[in-house]
Amino acid sequence: MSNHPEPPIGDEADLIRSAQAGDRSAFATIVDRYWERLYRWLCRLTRDASTAEDITQETFLKAFAAIQRFQAGSNLKAWLFRIAHNSFVNQRRAIKNNRKPLVPEIAEDPKNPVGEALTKEAMLLIAEAVAKLPSDFRGALVLRIDERLSFRDIAEVMGITEETARWRVFKARQKLMGLLSPDLLPAKNEPMSS
Amino acid sequence: MNCSSLRSRLLALPDPTAVSDSVAAHLESCASCQAWHRVLVQVEYAVASVTVPRSDGKKKREVLAQFRTAKANKPKSKPAVSPQITSTPVIAEKAVKKSKSPVSPAIPRTPLGERLARMWPMGLVAAALLVGALAWSIKKSPETAMAKAPSDPMLKEVVAAKIDLDRAHTGADRIKVLAKLADTIHEEARTLSKVTPDEMNSLAAMYRKVVEEALIPQARSLNADERKATLPAYVQRLAEAQQLANRLAGESPAASGRALSEIAEVAEAGRIELAKLIQGRAS
Ligand SMILES: [Zn+2]
Protein backbone atom coordinates (compact mmCIF):
# COMPACT_ATOMS: atom_id res chain seq x y z
CA MET A 1 0.00 0.00 0.00
CA SER A 2 2.94 2.29 0.65
CA ASN A 3 4.30 4.29 -2.22
CA HIS A 4 7.83 3.67 -1.04
CA PRO A 5 9.67 0.46 -1.83
CA GLU A 6 11.71 -0.81 1.10
CA PRO A 7 15.45 -0.30 0.61
CA PRO A 8 17.59 -3.42 0.63
CA ILE A 9 18.76 -4.19 4.17
CA GLY A 10 22.41 -4.89 3.35
CA ASP A 11 22.77 -1.68 1.43
CA GLU A 12 21.31 0.26 4.31
CA ALA A 13 23.66 -1.34 6.82
CA ASP A 14 26.60 -0.21 4.67
CA LEU A 15 25.22 3.30 4.48
CA ILE A 16 24.82 3.51 8.23
CA ARG A 17 28.31 2.16 8.81
CA SER A 18 29.76 4.73 6.42
CA ALA A 19 27.77 7.54 7.99
CA GLN A 20 28.94 6.46 11.44
CA ALA A 21 32.53 6.48 10.21
CA GLY A 22 32.08 10.11 9.20
CA ASP A 23 31.07 9.80 5.56
CA ARG A 24 28.60 12.62 5.16
CA SER A 25 27.62 11.72 1.64
CA ALA A 26 26.37 8.39 3.00
CA PHE A 27 24.22 10.35 5.40
CA ALA A 28 23.01 12.48 2.49
CA THR A 29 21.81 9.28 0.82
CA ILE A 30 19.86 8.43 3.97
CA VAL A 31 18.32 11.90 3.89
CA ASP A 32 17.40 11.50 0.27
CA ARG A 33 15.89 8.10 0.88
CA TYR A 34 13.69 8.99 3.83
CA TRP A 35 12.87 12.67 3.40
CA GLU A 36 9.61 12.32 1.47
CA ARG A 37 8.15 9.60 3.60
CA LEU A 38 8.94 11.46 6.83
CA TYR A 39 7.56 14.66 5.38
CA ARG A 40 4.41 12.87 4.29
CA TRP A 41 3.82 11.32 7.70
CA LEU A 42 4.55 14.61 9.47
CA CYS A 43 2.16 16.43 7.16
CA ARG A 44 -0.55 14.05 8.20
CA LEU A 45 0.45 14.27 11.83
CA THR A 46 0.78 18.05 12.07
CA ARG A 47 -1.74 18.89 9.32
CA ASP A 48 0.58 21.75 8.42
CA ALA A 49 3.00 21.45 5.51
CA SER A 50 5.46 24.06 6.67
CA THR A 51 5.66 22.62 10.18
CA ALA A 52 6.04 19.17 8.67
CA GLU A 53 8.96 20.38 6.60
CA ASP A 54 10.61 22.06 9.58
CA ILE A 55 10.32 18.90 11.65
CA THR A 56 11.62 16.80 8.77
CA GLN A 57 14.70 19.00 8.60
CA GLU A 58 15.13 18.92 12.35
CA THR A 59 14.77 15.16 12.35
CA PHE A 60 17.68 14.65 9.98
CA LEU A 61 19.93 17.08 11.83
CA LYS A 62 19.20 15.30 15.07
CA ALA A 63 19.71 11.95 13.40
CA PHE A 64 23.06 13.13 12.13
CA ALA A 65 24.00 14.30 15.60
CA ALA A 66 23.03 10.95 17.01
CA ILE A 67 24.14 8.61 14.22
CA GLN A 68 26.95 7.20 16.36
CA ARG A 69 24.32 6.03 18.76
CA PHE A 70 22.32 4.17 16.20
CA GLN A 71 22.64 0.50 16.97
CA ALA A 72 23.53 -1.73 14.05
CA GLY A 73 20.74 -4.14 13.34
CA SER A 74 18.04 -1.77 14.52
CA ASN A 75 15.38 -0.47 12.19
CA LEU A 76 16.62 2.79 10.66
CA LYS A 77 13.19 3.78 9.43
CA ALA A 78 11.63 3.32 12.87
CA TRP A 79 14.54 5.21 14.44
CA LEU A 80 14.09 8.19 12.12
CA PHE A 81 10.34 8.21 12.62
CA ARG A 82 10.87 8.08 16.34
CA ILE A 83 13.11 11.14 16.26
CA ALA A 84 10.48 12.87 14.14
CA HIS A 85 7.73 11.87 16.54
CA ASN A 86 9.68 13.18 19.52
CA SER A 87 10.15 16.49 17.76
CA PHE A 88 6.47 16.57 16.93
CA VAL A 89 5.52 15.90 20.54
CA ASN A 90 7.85 18.67 21.70
CA GLN A 91 6.22 21.12 19.32
CA ARG A 92 2.67 19.90 19.59
CA ARG A 93 1.41 22.81 21.65
CA ALA A 94 2.90 25.41 19.34
CA ILE A 95 1.54 23.53 16.34
CA LYS A 96 -1.97 23.52 17.77
CA ASN A 97 -1.93 27.29 18.16
CA ASN A 98 -0.49 28.19 14.79
CA ARG A 99 -1.86 25.59 12.45
CA LYS A 100 -3.64 26.46 9.27
CA PRO A 101 -5.37 23.14 8.71
CA LEU A 102 -4.64 21.22 5.56
CA VAL A 103 -7.52 20.48 3.30
CA PRO A 104 -7.27 16.76 2.64
CA GLU A 105 -6.91 15.70 -0.96
CA ILE A 106 -7.18 12.33 -2.54
CA ALA A 107 -4.89 10.89 -5.16
CA GLU A 108 -6.48 10.90 -8.60
CA ASP A 109 -6.22 7.22 -9.19
CA PRO A 110 -5.99 5.37 -5.89
CA LYS A 111 -5.39 1.68 -6.25
CA ASN A 112 -8.20 -0.28 -4.76
CA PRO A 113 -7.99 -4.05 -4.53
CA VAL A 114 -11.68 -4.46 -3.85
CA GLY A 115 -12.47 -3.50 -7.39
CA GLU A 116 -15.37 -1.20 -6.76
CA ALA A 117 -13.74 2.16 -6.13
CA LEU A 118 -15.18 4.47 -3.53
CA THR A 119 -16.68 7.65 -4.81
CA LYS A 120 -14.58 10.76 -4.60
CA GLU A 121 -17.00 12.04 -1.96
CA ALA A 122 -16.57 8.95 0.17
CA MET A 123 -12.81 9.20 -0.14
CA LEU A 124 -12.88 12.81 0.97
CA LEU A 125 -15.15 11.92 3.83
CA ILE A 126 -12.61 9.36 4.96
CA ALA A 127 -9.72 11.79 4.57
CA GLU A 128 -11.55 14.35 6.66
CA ALA A 129 -12.43 11.77 9.27
CA VAL A 130 -8.77 10.74 9.49
CA ALA A 131 -7.75 14.38 9.90
CA LYS A 132 -10.17 14.68 12.80
CA LEU A 133 -8.72 11.71 14.68
CA PRO A 134 -6.59 12.58 17.71
CA SER A 135 -2.99 12.83 16.51
CA ASP A 136 -1.84 9.78 18.51
CA PHE A 137 -4.40 7.62 16.73
CA ARG A 138 -3.86 9.23 13.35
CA GLY A 139 -0.09 8.89 13.68
CA ALA A 140 -0.31 5.20 14.51
CA LEU A 141 -2.86 4.44 11.79
CA VAL A 142 -0.87 6.18 9.09
CA LEU A 143 2.36 4.47 10.17
CA ARG A 144 0.56 1.16 9.82
CA ILE A 145 -1.18 1.86 6.52
CA ASP A 146 1.29 4.13 4.74
CA GLU A 147 4.57 2.87 6.06
CA ARG A 148 3.57 -0.72 6.73
CA LEU A 149 5.30 -0.56 10.10
CA SER A 150 4.60 -3.47 12.41
CA PHE A 151 2.82 -2.75 15.68
CA ARG A 152 6.14 -3.29 17.34
CA ASP A 153 7.84 -0.64 15.21
CA ILE A 154 4.94 1.75 15.71
CA ALA A 155 5.42 1.24 19.43
CA GLU A 156 9.10 2.04 19.03
CA VAL A 157 8.37 5.18 17.05
CA MET A 158 5.75 6.50 19.43
CA GLY A 159 7.39 5.38 22.64
CA ILE A 160 4.49 3.16 23.67
CA THR A 161 3.96 -0.56 24.16
CA GLU A 162 3.15 -2.84 21.27
CA GLU A 163 -0.28 -3.46 22.73
CA THR A 164 -0.98 0.28 22.90
CA ALA A 165 0.13 0.61 19.28
CA ARG A 166 -2.28 -2.14 18.27
CA TRP A 167 -5.00 -0.55 20.35
CA ARG A 168 -4.48 2.86 18.74
CA VAL A 169 -4.76 1.41 15.26
CA PHE A 170 -7.81 -0.56 16.37
CA LYS A 171 -9.48 2.53 17.84
CA ALA A 172 -8.62 4.66 14.82
CA ARG A 173 -10.20 2.13 12.48
CA GLN A 174 -13.16 1.73 14.79
CA LYS A 175 -13.74 5.48 14.89
CA LEU A 176 -13.51 5.71 11.11
CA MET A 177 -15.89 2.82 10.63
CA GLY A 178 -18.27 4.33 13.16
CA LEU A 179 -18.25 7.59 11.27
CA LEU A 180 -18.38 6.13 7.82
CA SER A 181 -20.42 3.01 7.97
CA PRO A 182 -23.80 4.76 7.79
CA ASP A 183 -22.66 6.48 4.60
CA LEU A 184 -20.95 3.57 2.99
CA LEU A 185 -22.81 0.51 4.09
CA PRO A 186 -26.21 -0.72 3.08
CA ALA A 187 -28.81 0.67 5.47
CA LYS A 188 -29.79 -2.73 6.87
CA ASN A 189 -26.37 -3.26 8.37
CA GLU A 190 -26.09 -3.73 12.10
CA PRO A 191 -24.09 -1.06 13.86
CA MET A 192 -20.70 -1.90 15.32
CA SER A 193 -20.81 -2.32 19.07
CA SER A 194 -17.79 -0.84 20.82
CA MET B 1 -17.57 -16.29 16.45
CA ASN B 2 -20.38 -13.74 16.41
CA CYS B 3 -20.42 -10.73 14.10
CA SER B 4 -19.30 -8.29 16.76
CA SER B 5 -16.23 -10.26 17.85
CA LEU B 6 -15.36 -10.94 14.22
CA ARG B 7 -15.36 -7.22 13.48
CA SER B 8 -13.25 -6.49 16.54
CA ARG B 9 -10.81 -9.06 15.32
CA LEU B 10 -10.68 -7.46 11.89
CA LEU B 11 -10.05 -4.04 13.39
CA ALA B 12 -7.06 -5.37 15.31
CA LEU B 13 -5.38 -7.09 12.37
CA PRO B 14 -2.13 -5.64 11.03
CA ASP B 15 -3.66 -5.94 7.59
CA PRO B 16 -7.44 -6.39 7.30
CA THR B 17 -7.04 -8.00 3.90
CA ALA B 18 -5.03 -10.86 5.39
CA VAL B 19 -7.59 -12.82 7.36
CA SER B 20 -7.40 -16.20 9.04
CA ASP B 21 -9.37 -19.19 7.77
CA SER B 22 -11.97 -18.91 10.50
CA VAL B 23 -12.54 -15.23 9.73
CA ALA B 24 -12.74 -15.98 6.02
CA ALA B 25 -15.29 -18.70 6.71
CA HIS B 26 -17.50 -16.30 8.65
CA LEU B 27 -17.19 -13.64 5.97
CA GLU B 28 -18.22 -16.12 3.34
CA SER B 29 -21.36 -17.03 5.17
CA CYS B 30 -22.34 -13.59 6.51
CA ALA B 31 -23.32 -10.94 3.95
CA SER B 32 -23.48 -8.21 6.57
CA CYS B 33 -19.91 -8.75 7.80
CA GLN B 34 -18.76 -9.18 4.23
CA ALA B 35 -20.07 -5.71 3.36
CA TRP B 36 -18.59 -4.29 6.55
CA HIS B 37 -15.22 -5.87 5.78
CA ARG B 38 -15.27 -4.45 2.27
CA VAL B 39 -15.76 -0.96 3.66
CA LEU B 40 -12.94 -1.50 6.15
CA VAL B 41 -10.58 -2.48 3.35
CA GLN B 42 -11.67 0.48 1.26
CA VAL B 43 -11.12 2.80 4.19
CA GLU B 44 -7.56 1.50 4.48
CA TYR B 45 -6.94 2.28 0.84
CA ALA B 46 -8.57 5.65 1.10
CA VAL B 47 -6.31 6.50 4.04
CA ALA B 48 -3.31 5.56 1.92
CA SER B 49 -4.59 7.66 -0.96
CA VAL B 50 -4.63 10.96 0.87
CA THR B 51 -2.13 13.29 -0.75
CA VAL B 52 -0.09 15.92 1.03
CA PRO B 53 0.98 19.31 -0.35
CA ARG B 54 4.00 19.10 -2.56
CA SER B 55 6.96 20.81 -0.98
CA ASP B 56 9.18 23.23 -2.91
CA GLY B 57 12.11 21.08 -1.79
CA LYS B 58 14.13 24.01 -0.48
CA LYS B 59 14.65 22.61 2.99
CA LYS B 60 15.63 19.23 1.65
CA ARG B 61 18.12 20.79 -0.73
CA GLU B 62 19.60 22.79 2.13
CA VAL B 63 20.07 19.71 4.25
CA LEU B 64 21.48 17.68 1.38
CA ALA B 65 23.88 20.45 0.40
CA GLN B 66 25.15 20.54 3.94
CA PHE B 67 26.16 16.90 3.79
CA ARG B 68 27.12 16.59 0.16
CA THR B 69 29.50 19.54 0.01
CA ALA B 70 31.25 18.65 3.23
CA LYS B 71 34.41 16.66 2.69
CA ALA B 72 33.63 13.08 3.48
CA ASN B 73 35.34 11.53 6.50
CA LYS B 74 37.04 14.73 7.57
CA PRO B 75 34.39 17.23 8.55
CA LYS B 76 36.25 20.34 9.62
CA SER B 77 33.38 22.46 10.77
CA LYS B 78 29.94 22.11 12.14
CA PRO B 79 27.10 22.16 9.66
CA ALA B 80 25.62 25.59 9.23
CA VAL B 81 22.25 24.90 10.77
CA SER B 82 21.83 24.72 14.50
CA PRO B 83 25.26 24.40 16.08
CA GLN B 84 23.64 22.93 19.19
CA ILE B 85 22.44 19.96 17.31
CA THR B 86 25.61 19.31 15.41
CA SER B 87 28.12 19.76 18.20
CA THR B 88 27.81 16.17 19.31
CA PRO B 89 29.11 14.42 16.20
CA VAL B 90 32.07 16.75 16.01
CA ILE B 91 33.08 15.65 19.47
CA ALA B 92 32.40 12.07 18.59
CA GLU B 93 34.51 12.30 15.47
CA LYS B 94 37.38 13.82 17.39
CA ALA B 95 37.20 11.07 19.93
CA VAL B 96 37.20 8.47 17.25
CA LYS B 97 40.06 10.10 15.42
CA LYS B 98 42.10 10.25 18.58
CA SER B 99 41.60 6.56 19.11
CA LYS B 100 43.13 6.00 15.66
CA SER B 101 40.46 3.67 14.43
CA PRO B 102 36.92 4.35 13.39
CA VAL B 103 34.06 3.28 15.57
CA SER B 104 32.86 0.23 13.79
CA PRO B 105 29.24 -0.57 14.39
CA ALA B 106 28.74 -3.47 16.70
CA ILE B 107 27.43 -6.81 15.58
CA PRO B 108 23.65 -6.67 15.68
CA ARG B 109 22.08 -7.30 19.07
CA THR B 110 25.36 -7.58 20.95
CA PRO B 111 24.69 -6.61 24.55
CA LEU B 112 25.65 -3.01 25.14
CA GLY B 113 27.89 -3.89 28.05
CA GLU B 114 30.02 -5.91 25.66
CA ARG B 115 30.06 -3.13 23.15
CA LEU B 116 31.29 -0.79 25.84
CA ALA B 117 33.98 -3.24 26.78
CA ARG B 118 35.13 -3.39 23.19
CA MET B 119 35.04 0.36 22.84
CA TRP B 120 37.05 0.96 25.96
CA PRO B 121 40.59 0.50 24.64
CA MET B 122 39.77 3.07 21.98
CA GLY B 123 39.42 5.86 24.43
CA LEU B 124 37.29 7.03 27.24
CA VAL B 125 35.24 9.46 25.28
CA ALA B 126 34.23 7.07 22.55
CA ALA B 127 32.97 4.63 25.14
CA ALA B 128 31.44 7.30 27.26
CA LEU B 129 29.62 8.85 24.34
CA LEU B 130 27.94 5.55 23.95
CA VAL B 131 26.88 5.69 27.58
CA GLY B 132 25.60 9.20 27.13
CA ALA B 133 23.68 7.96 24.18
CA LEU B 134 22.21 5.13 26.14
CA ALA B 135 21.08 7.29 28.94
CA TRP B 136 19.67 10.11 26.97
CA SER B 137 18.73 9.16 23.49
CA ILE B 138 15.85 7.36 21.99
CA LYS B 139 14.99 5.14 24.91
CA LYS B 140 13.73 8.04 26.97
CA SER B 141 10.17 9.22 26.98
CA PRO B 142 9.20 11.19 23.89
CA GLU B 143 8.89 14.39 25.88
CA THR B 144 12.49 14.36 27.02
CA ALA B 145 14.32 12.40 24.40
CA MET B 146 15.92 13.61 21.21
CA ALA B 147 15.18 17.27 21.53
CA LYS B 148 17.30 17.41 24.62
CA ALA B 149 19.96 15.02 23.46
CA PRO B 150 22.36 17.68 22.19
CA SER B 151 22.50 19.28 25.62
CA ASP B 152 22.81 15.89 27.25
CA PRO B 153 24.21 16.50 30.74
CA MET B 154 25.84 13.07 30.89
CA LEU B 155 27.59 13.78 27.63
CA LYS B 156 28.79 17.12 28.92
CA GLU B 157 30.16 15.52 32.06
CA VAL B 158 31.99 12.88 30.12
CA VAL B 159 33.45 15.28 27.63
CA ALA B 160 34.42 17.59 30.48
CA ALA B 161 36.11 14.65 32.19
CA LYS B 162 38.09 13.92 29.06
CA ILE B 163 39.23 17.52 28.80
CA ASP B 164 40.10 17.58 32.52
CA LEU B 165 42.05 14.37 32.13
CA ASP B 166 44.09 15.88 29.35
CA ARG B 167 44.83 18.87 31.54
CA ALA B 168 45.58 16.93 34.71
CA HIS B 169 49.29 16.94 35.45
CA THR B 170 49.44 14.63 38.41
CA GLY B 171 48.04 11.24 39.20
CA ALA B 172 46.08 12.78 42.04
CA ASP B 173 44.44 15.22 39.64
CA ARG B 174 43.50 12.41 37.30
CA ILE B 175 42.01 10.39 40.13
CA LYS B 176 39.91 13.36 41.06
CA VAL B 177 38.53 13.56 37.54
CA LEU B 178 37.87 9.85 37.27
CA ALA B 179 36.20 9.64 40.66
CA LYS B 180 33.95 12.49 39.68
CA LEU B 181 33.05 10.69 36.48
CA ALA B 182 32.34 7.51 38.44
CA ASP B 183 30.09 9.55 40.71
CA THR B 184 28.28 10.97 37.71
CA ILE B 185 27.65 7.54 36.30
CA HIS B 186 26.50 6.39 39.71
CA GLU B 187 24.17 9.35 39.97
CA GLU B 188 22.83 8.60 36.50
CA ALA B 189 22.24 5.02 37.55
CA ARG B 190 20.25 6.25 40.52
CA THR B 191 17.90 8.31 38.43
CA LEU B 192 17.44 5.65 35.80
CA SER B 193 17.17 2.70 38.14
CA LYS B 194 13.44 2.55 38.27
CA VAL B 195 12.70 2.94 34.60
CA THR B 196 15.17 1.40 32.20
CA PRO B 197 16.95 -1.82 33.14
CA ASP B 198 18.87 -1.99 29.84
CA GLU B 199 20.40 1.38 30.35
CA MET B 200 21.18 0.42 33.91
CA ASN B 201 23.17 -2.57 32.75
CA SER B 202 25.20 -0.42 30.44
CA LEU B 203 25.83 2.14 33.13
CA ALA B 204 26.95 -0.62 35.47
CA ALA B 205 29.41 -1.81 32.83
CA MET B 206 30.64 1.73 32.36
CA TYR B 207 31.00 2.20 36.10
CA ARG B 208 33.10 -0.94 36.29
CA LYS B 209 35.29 0.30 33.46
CA VAL B 210 35.91 3.68 35.03
CA VAL B 211 36.63 2.30 38.50
CA GLU B 212 38.55 -0.86 37.63
CA GLU B 213 40.39 0.20 34.53
CA ALA B 214 41.00 3.87 35.11
CA LEU B 215 40.65 4.90 38.72
CA ILE B 216 42.49 2.00 40.36
CA PRO B 217 45.41 1.95 37.89
CA GLN B 218 45.79 5.70 38.42
CA ALA B 219 45.84 5.15 42.17
CA ARG B 220 48.53 2.52 41.75
CA SER B 221 50.70 5.01 39.92
CA LEU B 222 50.89 7.24 43.01
CA ASN B 223 53.82 7.00 45.42
CA ALA B 224 53.25 6.09 49.08
CA ASP B 225 52.94 9.67 50.32
CA GLU B 226 50.57 10.65 47.54
CA ARG B 227 48.43 7.63 48.24
CA LYS B 228 48.09 8.54 51.91
CA ALA B 229 47.26 12.12 51.08
CA THR B 230 44.85 11.49 48.22
CA LEU B 231 43.12 8.16 48.50
CA PRO B 232 41.26 8.19 51.85
CA ALA B 233 38.67 10.59 50.46
CA TYR B 234 37.97 8.19 47.59
CA VAL B 235 37.74 5.21 49.90
CA GLN B 236 35.00 7.13 51.65
CA ARG B 237 33.25 8.02 48.38
CA LEU B 238 33.31 4.48 47.12
CA ALA B 239 31.94 3.28 50.45
CA GLU B 240 29.06 5.74 50.10
CA ALA B 241 28.49 4.67 46.51
CA GLN B 242 28.43 1.04 47.60
CA GLN B 243 25.93 1.74 50.34
CA LEU B 244 23.64 3.78 48.15
CA ALA B 245 23.70 1.31 45.25
CA ASN B 246 22.91 -1.52 47.65
CA ARG B 247 20.00 0.36 49.09
CA LEU B 248 18.62 1.26 45.65
CA ALA B 249 19.07 -2.32 44.47
CA GLY B 250 16.63 -3.38 47.17
CA GLU B 251 14.05 -0.85 46.01
CA SER B 252 14.34 -1.42 42.25
CA PRO B 253 12.83 -3.94 39.87
CA ALA B 254 14.87 -7.13 39.53
CA ALA B 255 16.66 -6.24 36.30
CA SER B 256 17.77 -2.82 37.51
CA GLY B 257 18.48 -4.26 40.92
CA ARG B 258 21.06 -6.63 39.51
CA ALA B 259 22.88 -3.81 37.75
CA LEU B 260 22.84 -1.72 40.92
CA SER B 261 24.20 -4.67 42.89
CA GLU B 262 26.99 -4.88 40.35
CA ILE B 263 27.77 -1.20 40.89
CA ALA B 264 27.82 -1.83 44.64
CA GLU B 265 30.23 -4.75 44.17
CA VAL B 266 32.52 -2.69 41.97
CA ALA B 267 32.50 0.14 44.50
CA GLU B 268 33.28 -2.30 47.30
CA ALA B 269 36.15 -3.95 45.43
CA GLY B 270 37.49 -0.51 44.52
CA ARG B 271 37.24 0.66 48.09
CA ILE B 272 39.13 -2.40 49.37
CA GLU B 273 41.80 -2.01 46.71
CA LEU B 274 42.33 1.66 47.52
CA ALA B 275 42.52 0.89 51.23
CA LYS B 276 45.22 -1.70 50.51
CA LEU B 277 47.12 0.83 48.43
CA ILE B 278 47.04 3.33 51.30
CA GLN B 279 48.41 0.71 53.65
CA GLY B 280 51.04 -0.34 51.15
CA ARG B 281 49.59 -3.83 51.01
CA ALA B 282 48.97 -3.75 47.29
CA SER B 283 51.25 -2.86 44.44
ZN1 LIG C 1 -21.23 -11.64 10.62
Side-chain angles (χ1 to χ4, degrees):
Chain A
M1 219 179 289
S2 166
N3 303 320
H4 315 281
E6 293 298 324
I9 298 298
D11 163 52
E12 192 149 284
D14 288 344
L15 268 181
I16 294 161
R17 215 169 291 133
S18 301
Q20 284 178 325
D23 179 353
R24 292 185 180 194
S25 67
F27 190 80
T29 306
I30 292 172
V31 173
D32 203 24
R33 187 171 284 180
Y34 285 102
W35 185 283
E36 267 74 28
R37 53 210 302 172
L38 272 171
Y39 167 72
R40 176 176 162 78
W41 183 60
L42 285 165
C43 262
R44 304 193 70 180
L45 207 53
T46 62
R47 291 182 285 161
D48 181 83
S50 142
T51 304
E53 207 161 35
D54 287 346
I55 299 180
T56 308
Q57 182 181 43
E58 189 182 314
T59 297
F60 283 109
L61 293 175
K62 284 179 176 173
F64 178 71
I67 192 74
Q68 297 290 342
R69 309 171 189 183
F70 179 79
Q71 290 178 41
S74 317
N75 182 338
L76 177 67
K77 180 161 92 173
W79 187 68
L80 290 171
F81 274 79
R82 168 140 201 186
I83 296 173
H85 183 257
N86 288 343
S87 298
F88 164 71
V89 169
N90 283 320
Q91 297 188 25
R92 184 145 49 182
R93 188 163 297 160
I95 292 167
K96 265 183 195 157
N97 296 335
N98 295 326
R99 177 164 44 83
K100 296 184 283 303
L102 286 182
V103 181
E105 282 180 44
I106 296 291
E108 272 314 307
D109 184 23
K111 291 190 186 90
N112 190 329
V114 184
E116 41 190 290
L118 290 170
T119 63
K120 186 95 178 171
E121 288 68 33
M123 299 282 274
L124 271 175
L125 196 65
I126 293 167
E128 279 164 14
V130 172
K132 280 183 194 145
L133 288 172
S135 63
D136 287 342
F137 294 80
R138 186 169 65 247
L141 182 73
V142 174
L143 282 176
R144 177 64 218 134
I145 295 180
D146 250 12
E147 292 299 330
R148 310 303 288 164
L149 286 189
S150 64
F151 291 126
R152 192 177 171 172
D153 285 340
I154 294 170
E156 175 68 24
V157 168
M158 304 188 92
I160 52 180
T161 65
E162 193 173 335
E163 268 325 292
T164 304
R166 186 186 290 273
W167 184 78
R168 283 187 186 174
V169 172
F170 174 95
K171 290 305 276 185
R173 284 175 177 149
Q174 192 183 47
K175 276 171 194 270
L176 292 179
M177 289 300 283
L179 284 171
L180 298 165
S181 294
D183 299 292
L184 298 170
L185 286 173
K188 61 175 183 176
N189 240 298
E190 60 179 270
M192 166 77 191
S193 61
S194 54
Chain B
M1 197 178 345
N2 64 28
C3 297
S4 175
S5 65
L6 176 111
R7 292 177 191 191
S8 288
R9 198 183 280 199
L10 285 169
L11 290 171
L13 285 176
D15 178 358
T17 60
V19 298
S20 66
D21 289 348
S22 59
V23 171
H26 181 117
L27 290 176
E28 219 153 282
S29 62
C30 175
S32 164
C33 284
Q34 209 176 82
W36 189 91
H37 179 238
R38 194 177 303 124
V39 173
L40 177 64
V41 172
Q42 288 181 333
V43 164
E44 296 268 310
Y45 280 85
V47 170
S49 302
V50 174
T51 56
V52 300
R54 193 174 282 278
S55 143
D56 64 4
K58 187 163 165 267
K59 287 239 158 70
K60 183 183 177 187
R61 281 195 301 278
E62 274 172 24
V63 172
L64 283 175
Q66 206 170 315
F67 296 114
R68 284 198 172 134
T69 53
K71 220 170 158 186
N73 296 319
K74 290 190 180 176
K76 292 234 165 86
S77 62
K78 300 168 188 177
V81 185
S82 182
Q84 254 189 325
I85 288 167
T86 51
S87 59
T88 309
V90 175
I91 294 163
E93 280 156 9
K94 273 188 196 156
V96 169
K97 212 170 155 191
K98 189 161 184 152
S99 69
K100 291 192 178 111
S101 79
V103 177
S104 55
I107 297 158
R109 310 210 184 284
T110 306
L112 286 159
E114 283 175 35
R115 292 178 64 198
L116 281 167
R118 277 207 304 250
M119 298 281 290
W120 181 252
M122 293 164 49
L124 179 64
V125 173
L129 278 174
L130 204 55
V131 174
L134 294 175
W136 292 93
S137 68
I138 56 177
K139 292 277 181 189
K140 287 207 121 185
S141 67
E143 288 75 13
T144 56
M146 290 311 301
K148 290 187 182 166
S151 56
D152 171 349
M154 181 68 189
L155 205 57
K156 272 192 195 153
E157 292 281 353
V158 167
V159 174
K162 174 68 180 81
I163 293 165
D164 289 346
L165 272 183
D166 287 345
R167 285 188 190 143
H169 292 300
T170 67
D173 286 347
R174 278 190 283 275
I175 286 180
K176 199 172 162 185
V177 174
L178 290 166
K180 188 165 169 252
L181 180 59
D183 284 352
T184 305
I185 295 168
H186 187 273
E187 177 65 28
E188 191 63 21
R190 276 178 61 188
T191 52
L192 288 175
S193 63
K194 295 195 173 85
V195 279
T196 51
D198 286 349
E199 291 167 1
M200 272 303 307
N201 286 332
S202 301
L203 284 171
M206 186 65 193
Y207 189 79
R208 183 181 286 281
K209 289 278 165 196
V210 171
V211 172
E212 290 182 355
E213 294 179 29
L215 187 64
I216 301 294
Q218 274 299 328
R220 284 201 189 104
S221 75
L222 301 177
N223 66 35
D225 287 343
E226 286 172 332
R227 287 179 188 182
K228 280 184 186 136
T230 310
L231 299 183
Y234 298 108
V235 170
Q236 180 59 31
R237 271 162 82 169
L238 285 170
E240 285 164 10
Q242 179 194 346
Q243 234 175 7
L244 185 56
N246 265 332
R247 186 164 60 75
L248 287 168
E251 299 166 359
S252 304
S256 294
R258 274 193 296 278
L260 283 159
S261 297
E262 188 186 340
I263 287 178
E265 280 164 27
V266 169
E268 183 181 21
R271 175 180 63 78
I272 291 169
E273 184 64 21
L274 289 188
K276 281 185 192 168
L277 287 172
I278 294 168
Q279 291 161 11
R281 287 196 287 119
S283 55

